[in-house]
Amino acid sequence: MAKLNFGGVEETVITREEFPIEKAREILKNETIAVIGYGVQGPGQSLNLRDNGFNVIVGQREGKTYDKAVADGWIPGETLFSIEEACRRGTIILCLLSDAAVISVWPTIKPALTEGKALYFSHGFAITWSDRTGVIPPKDIDVIMVAPKGSGATVRSLFLEGRGINSSFAIYQNFTGHALERTLALGIGIGSGYLFETTFQREAVSDLTGERGSLMGAIQGLLLAQYEVLRANGHTPSEAFNETVEELTQSLMPLFAAKGMDWMYANCSTTAQRGALDWMGPFHDAVKPVMEKLYASVKSGAEAQRSIDSNSQPDYRDKLNEELRQMRESEMWQTGMTVRKLRPENN
C-alpha cells in the first residue's frame, strides 16, 4: 500500500501495479464469492469477477432480475441460486442489494454467516445506521467494504474498456486476521482502477451527501434553474438546453475531467474566464449553507431514516416511477432527447 499526498494530506492508496490480479486470484483461490442481488451493482461486480477468473455464484429471487442474470450467462443450479442457497454456499457474501432490500433480506442472510466467512458491502449505509436497519453482523466473521465511485453500469463499462473505476475500501470487523487482503483482492477483482481507504461511516455520509449534492440533486436543481431563467427571458428550448446542459456535458466536462478546472478555464474565452471567476464566489456563498444543512441531515441519520421510510412503502416504486416520468417529460429533458439525436455520431 502506498502513501500518496493529496493536497497536503497523506492517504493510503492501492493500485493494480502493487496488487496485481494474479495476487488477488491467489488470495481468493479457495473462496466462493456469492453475489446477493442482481440490480444496480450486482451485474457489474459479478461479471467482472467472473471474467477475472474468480469462483462466483449469484443469489437472486426469481423474476425479471433473475431472468436478466440467466441472460448474462449465470446457470440455474450451477452458478445461479436462491438467495438462501447462495448465502449457504458462499464463503464471501457480497451483499449488493438496495439499502431497503438489505433490511428485508437480512433475516435470510444472517443465519448463513457462519464463523470465518466474510460479509461484503459496497455502501456503508446498513452498518453505519444499524440502529435503524437492524443489520448487526455476528462477531465471528469479517465485515468489509469496497465501494465503487460510480454506477454498476460504469463498473462494467470501464472494465470492458480495459480501464477501471475508483473505489474506496474499509474494514469494519477483522475476525480472521485476513480481512484486509480479502478486501483488496475483491477490490482488484471487481475492476477497480485504484482503491483508497475510508471507514463505513465516512463512506456512508460522503456518499449520501454526494448523491443529494453535486452528483445528482444539486446538479439537476442548478441546470433546471438556469434553463428556466433562459426560457422565461425568451430563449428557445434548443438554445437554453445547449447553453445549460449540452455544452457542459459534451465540451467542458471532458476538459476538467482530464486535467482539472483550471485547464478547462484556460481553454475557454477570456470573456468566459472573467465571468466564471467573478460569479464563482456568489454561487459558492449561496450554495455552501445548503450543503452544510444537507451534510448535517445526512450525519444525523435523518436522510437515512427518510430513505428507509419511503423505500419501505408498498407503493414506493410507483411513486418513484411517477417522479422520474415527470422529470423525463419535462421540457428541458424532452429537448435534451431531441438534441442528443442531432449529435453527429447519431446521424
Side-chain angles (χ1 to χ4, degrees), residues 101-111 113 119 121 133-138:
V102 172
I103 296 170
S104 63
V105 178
W106 179 242
T108 300
I109 297 174
K110 189 173 182 180
L113 297 173
L119 176 63
F121 293 94
T133 65
V135 178
I136 302 174

Side-chain angles (χ1 to χ4, degrees), residues 143-210:
V143 182
I144 60 181
M145 178 177 67
V146 176
K149 298 299 104 181
S151 71
T154 308
V155 170
R156 183 60 175 164
S157 64
L158 291 179
F159 176 84
L160 292 174
E161 292 171 14
R163 300 162 62 195
I165 195 164
N166 302 335
S167 301
S168 60
F169 73 93
I171 312 296
Y172 180 76
Q173 200 165 276
N174 182 13
F175 172 78
T176 65
H178 301 292
L180 179 60
E181 62 187 57
R182 278 171 142 179
T183 304
L184 298 181
L186 288 163
I188 295 300
I190 68 168
S192 299
Y194 76 86
L195 296 139
F196 61 93
E197 194 171 19
T198 186
T199 67
F200 273 66
Q201 192 267 349
R202 278 174 25 213
E203 192 282 334
V205 171
S206 60
D207 189 77
L208 263 66
T209 300

Side-chain angles (χ1 to χ4, degrees), residues 49-299:
L49 285 165
R50 186 177 72 182
D51 288 355
N52 269 330
F54 295 90
N55 181 23
V56 189
I57 61 175
V58 171
Q60 176 62 43
R61 290 171 174 163
E62 291 194 13
K64 289 171 63 176
T65 307
Y66 185 95
D67 295 341
K68 181 182 186 306
V70 173
D72 284 344
W74 301 102
I75 303 170
E78 293 185 22
T79 55
L80 178 60
F81 302 93
S82 67
I83 291 174
E84 294 89 342
E85 182 63 15
C87 287
R88 186 187 70 78
R89 290 172 177 255
T91 59
I92 301 177
I93 297 173
L94 274 59
C95 186
L96 299 181
L97 299 156
S98 69
D99 296 323
V102 172
I103 296 170
S104 63
V105 178
W106 179 242
T108 300
I109 297 174
K110 189 173 182 180
L113 297 173
T114 53
E115 183 177 341
K117 287 192 176 186
L119 176 63
Y120 163 113
F121 293 94
S122 280
H123 188 16
F125 188 105
I127 295 294
T128 298
W129 292 292
S130 59
D131 58 328
R132 301 167 190 264
T133 65
V135 178
I136 302 174
K139 296 296 185 182
D140 57 357
I141 66 168
D142 293 341
V143 182
I144 60 181
M145 178 177 67
V146 176
K149 298 299 104 181
S151 71
T154 308
V155 170
R156 183 60 175 164
S157 64
L158 291 179
F159 176 84
L160 292 174
E161 292 171 14
R163 300 162 62 195
I165 195 164
N166 302 335
S167 301
S168 60
F169 73 93
I171 312 296
Y172 180 76
Q173 200 165 276
N174 182 13
F175 172 78
T176 65
H178 301 292
L180 179 60
E181 62 187 57
R182 278 171 142 179
T183 304
L184 298 181
L186 288 163
I188 295 300
I190 68 168
S192 299
Y194 76 86
L195 296 139
F196 61 93
E197 194 171 19
T198 186
T199 67
F200 273 66
Q201 192 267 349
R202 278 174 25 213
E203 192 282 334
V205 171
S206 60
D207 189 77
L208 263 66
T209 300
E211 291 167 347
R212 286 150 178 75
S214 65
L215 303 178
M216 294 175 68
I219 193 67
Q220 166 64 7
L222 174 63
L223 296 177
L224 183 60
Q226 178 169 305
Y227 181 88
E228 289 175 340
V229 168
L230 290 172
R231 290 288 289 122
N233 284 277
H235 299 271
T236 65
S238 178
E239 183 173 51
F241 187 87
N242 272 281
E243 295 291 356
T244 300
V245 179
E246 192 73 353
E247 185 172 352
L248 171 67
T249 60
Q250 301 305 298
S251 175
L252 301 182
M253 287 182 74
L255 291 176
F256 69 76
K259 295 189 178 181
M261 191 66 74
D262 61 317
W263 173 254
M264 185 265 276
Y265 274 41
N267 282 274
C268 293
S269 70
T270 54
T271 301
Q273 292 170 7
R274 183 69 268 145
L277 291 167
D278 289 345
W279 279 91
M280 176 180 66
F283 273 108
H284 169 271
D285 295 346
V287 171
K288 190 170 181 180
V290 180
M291 293 300 299
E292 291 173 335
K293 182 178 179 181
L294 165 59
Y295 188 85
S297 183
V298 171
K299 194 167 186 180

